[in-house]
Structures are given as C-alpha cells and as structure tokens.
Amino acid sequence: QLYVEAIHCDPDFDKAYCGLANTLSNSSTIYLRDGRLMDKRRLCEEALRRNPNTAEAYYALANSKPARLPDGRMLDKKQLLLEALRCGSENGMAYFALAQEVAAGETVQLQDGRVLGKKQLLIEAVRRKRSHSKAYCELAKLLDVGETVWLDEKCKLGKRQLLLEAIRLDENCGEAYRSLGCALSGGETVQMPDGRKMNKKRLFMEAVHCQPNDSNTYILLADTLAANEKAKIRRKRRSLDRAQLYQEAIRLDANNGEAYNRLAMTLREGEKTTFSDGRTFNQTQLFIEAIRRNRDHPYAYYNLAQVLVLPGTANLADGRVLDK
C-alpha cells in the first residue's frame, strides 16, 4: 500500500513500481489508485518505460518468462540479468542468478567487457553480498579439494571454509551440511561455527533435518552407518537403520534407482523387505527395480548377476530376459 501511495504521488517514480513489483508473486495482481490492474511484469515494464536503466526492473523480470521490453526487445532470463548488471553492477543477487543460468565450462560477456564463467560469477555474487549463504554453498561445490578463491585482498577461502561460512550465515542450509559431509573422509571431524565437532554422519543428519524431502541425502546418511547402527531423525522423532533410510529415500523418490540397489545390498539370501505400502521385495526383485529406474546403472546389473542362480534368468521390467 505504501508503494501504491508513492506511485499515486509521483506516477513517474520508477523505483516505486519496482518496489511494488517485488512484493508480488508471479501470479498475483494489485490495483493502483487510478484503477489500473497490475501484475509483476506490467509494473516492471512501467518502471522501464520511465527509466530504461532501472536495474531492479530487469532483475525482477528475470524471474518470469521471457519479456518484451517497452523498446520492443524480447529478452530471455539470461539477457535480462545481463541488463540488470549493466545498469547496476553491484547487484550480488543478479550475479548469483546469472551463475545459475550458466552451464559448467560456459562463459558470458558482461557489458563492461569482462568474460566470466560460473565460478567467477559466484565469486562476484559473494563479494557483493557477503550475507548470501546459498552463494557460498554453490561456489564451494565448484572447488576442487585444496583449491581456494580470493574474495578480497585479505580473504582467501577453500571449499570447507566456504561451506562453514554458509552454515554460519544460515544454520538451516541443508545443502551446505550435505556438501561438507561429502568433503570429509570416514573418521574425520570438522569444527562448526558454534563450536560443535561433527563427522560425516552428524553432518548428513543435519542435512536430513534441514532438507527432509531430499532423497539422496538419506542414502548418504545410510552409507555412514554400520550394519546394526541407527541414526536419529529429529523430524520423525525416531531412529532409522540403513534399510529404513533407503526405504525412506524410495518413498521420497520412487525413481531413485540407487536407493533400490543399496537396499537390496542390506538383505541376505532368502530375506525380504516390506515397504510401508505393504509391497514385499527380495534381493533379486530390488535389483530389477533399480534397473527399471535407471537402465544404465552398472552396479545394479553386476549385483543382480551376483545373486542370480544358474541356469536362471532375470526378467527385466522392459521385457528383456537376461542370464547371468
């Protein structure tokens, strides 16, 4: 309502149009005092009609479909973000968003002539917004072990330091806990920003707590457990063993072939496992399910061959009948 009043007082106030646009979702609308019904895109277009160098308008438009600008140009998301940086090169969020649009090995040329890849864009994002936890996390994922990046002339960080900083900024950043867990060796621990020491298992437990719907994190956690060990899942208020964690991964993503493969490996010959929906599988059936979900899973084929008794054959879901 305050932005609406600002526009009413000055219909050419471009930043007020942008401010109002940023309060709306892509599907919501709002009436101005003059009776016009506006959505996010139209508000941004009004801002650009009054000032074609309004960086905030380009950035807001980049969150929707390709946009036709008041000057007639049709720009896609990447082009809109480049325009946002042309108009305001200190927008850390625009660098971050542009990095998400750039594939590994790809580069983009900015209006100032710089040619940046995904890693360089994320470095620029962190430099301009030091509080953006996700930017630290995404940058860390691109670094090799032992590699460091300079954020300024005094601050040089490696993969683990970037992930710890992401967690310090956002203690619920599940992706950072997960990536940090993957960076540790089996018996290694790391000291967290709050002083706690965590190993791989604890880090994956935190990742599951922060991202309870991420199927692959349950697999990572299960892989850290010994045969009879359990992990406490705080949101479920109970502890799960390896088999139960693999089942949870399948419940969250029925097409996760690796979860079927790992679950099968927890069974001994003749054993079966029962899912919460009542379905029962033995080892052979689970390996077949793994192949059904991922036809190019080499270990599922190998493991199925290992348990197949000669002269038997395996009837795969796609109709193939394969012997050992």
Side-chain angles (χ1 to χ4, degrees):
Q1 292 172 323
L2 291 169
Y3 287 125
V4 169
E5 288 301 316
I7 293 169
H8 178 68
C9 295
D10 182 359
D12 292 323
F13 194 175
D14 58 295
K15 290 188 180 298
Y17 286 98
C18 286
L20 181 55
N22 287 329
T23 68
L24 302 182
S25 67
N26 287 335
S27 59
S28 57
T29 57
I30 190 169
Y31 281 100
L32 300 185
R33 286 278 300 273
D34 60 9
R36 287 180 294 165
L37 180 64
M38 309 292 281
D39 59 14
K40 192 182 191 79
R41 178 177 299 205
R42 288 192 62 194
L43 286 165
C44 292
E45 290 170 353
E46 289 296 322
L48 291 173
R49 189 169 286 112
R50 287 154 177 80
N51 180 2
N53 293 315
T54 307
E56 297 90 338
Y58 290 109
Y59 178 71
L61 277 174
N63 292 318
S64 57
K65 299 176 182 178
R68 185 174 297 280
L69 304 186
D71 61 10
R73 290 180 297 161
M74 178 68 78
L75 302 186
D76 61 21
K77 185 171 185 175
K78 188 183 294 185
Q79 292 168 323
L80 288 165
L81 291 168
L82 286 169
E83 284 296 312
L85 290 174
R86 177 185 66 80
C87 300
S89 62
E90 295 307 308
N91 188 337
M93 294 300 293
Y95 279 102
F96 179 78
L98 184 56
Q100 306 312 300
E101 297 300 306
V102 174
E106 185 185 358
T107 59
V108 291
Q109 184 168 1
L110 275 58
Q111 296 284 348
D112 59 10
R114 288 179 297 161
V115 177
L116 304 181
K118 192 179 189 76
K119 186 187 299 183
Q120 289 75 28
L121 288 167
L122 288 170
I123 291 172
E124 294 297 327
V126 170
R127 284 175 176 169
R128 286 160 175 77
K129 190 170 183 181
R130 292 295 182 94
S131 62
H132 191 193
S133 172
K134 188 69 174 175
Y136 285 91
C137 185
E138 292 298 313
L139 175 57
K141 288 158 63 176
L142 297 180
L143 299 190
D144 295 325
V145 176
E147 185 180 0
T148 58
V149 292
W150 287 96
L151 300 185
D152 56 43
E153 65 274 7
K154 296 181 180 180
C155 183
K156 181 174 72 169
L157 300 180
K159 188 182 191 79
R160 294 188 187 184
Q161 293 166 309
L162 287 166
L163 292 169
L164 287 168
E165 184 63 13
I167 292 168
R168 185 188 70 79
L169 292 168
D170 178 9
E171 62 181 12
N172 294 313
C173 185
E175 187 60 35
Y177 285 107
R178 173 179 160 168
S179 296
L180 188 54
C182 291
L184 295 189
S185 59
E188 197 176 1
T189 61
V190 64
Q191 185 165 336
M192 308 303 291
D194 60 6
R196 291 179 296 165
K197 287 190 175 181
M198 292 190 177
N199 57 16
K200 289 177 79 75
K201 175 184 172 182
R202 288 288 306 279
L203 288 165
F204 291 141
M205 287 170 64
E206 287 296 323
V208 165
H209 177 71
C210 298
Q211 294 181 316
N213 296 320
D214 185 70
S215 175
N216 288 321
T217 306
Y218 286 86
I219 296 177
L220 291 170
L221 175 56
D223 288 347
T224 68
L225 302 184
N228 298 316
E229 192 178 1
K230 292 187 176 184
K232 186 175 182 180
I233 308 301
R234 281 182 284 160
R235 288 183 182 272
K236 291 183 174 295
R237 297 182 180 178
R238 65 191 182 101
S239 296
L240 303 181
D241 62 21
R242 287 167 58 199
Q244 291 169 322
L245 287 166
Y246 293 135
Q247 283 200 14
E248 186 65 15
I250 292 168
R251 186 188 69 80
L252 292 168
D253 180 5
N255 291 315
N256 193 329
E258 184 58 28
Y260 283 98
N261 182 60
R262 298 296 179 98
L263 178 58
M265 294 171 66
T266 67
L267 300 181
R268 292 190 293 269
E269 184 180 353
E271 282 188 328
K272 293 184 177 182
T273 186
T274 302
F275 286 79
S276 58
D277 60 7
R279 292 179 300 156
T280 301
F281 294 88
N282 60 26
Q283 252 192 339
T284 300
Q285 291 168 327
L286 286 169
F287 288 133
I288 290 173
E289 287 296 318
I291 294 169
R292 177 185 175 190
R293 267 70 184 184
N294 181 0
R295 183 169 173 156
D296 298 321
H297 195 312
Y299 285 102
Y301 287 102
Y302 175 83
N303 292 329
L304 179 55
Q306 290 290 98
V307 301
L308 198 61
V309 179
L310 290 173
T313 57
N315 298 308
L316 303 185
D318 58 9
R320 289 179 294 163
V321 179
L322 304 181
D323 61 20
K324 197 176 184 77

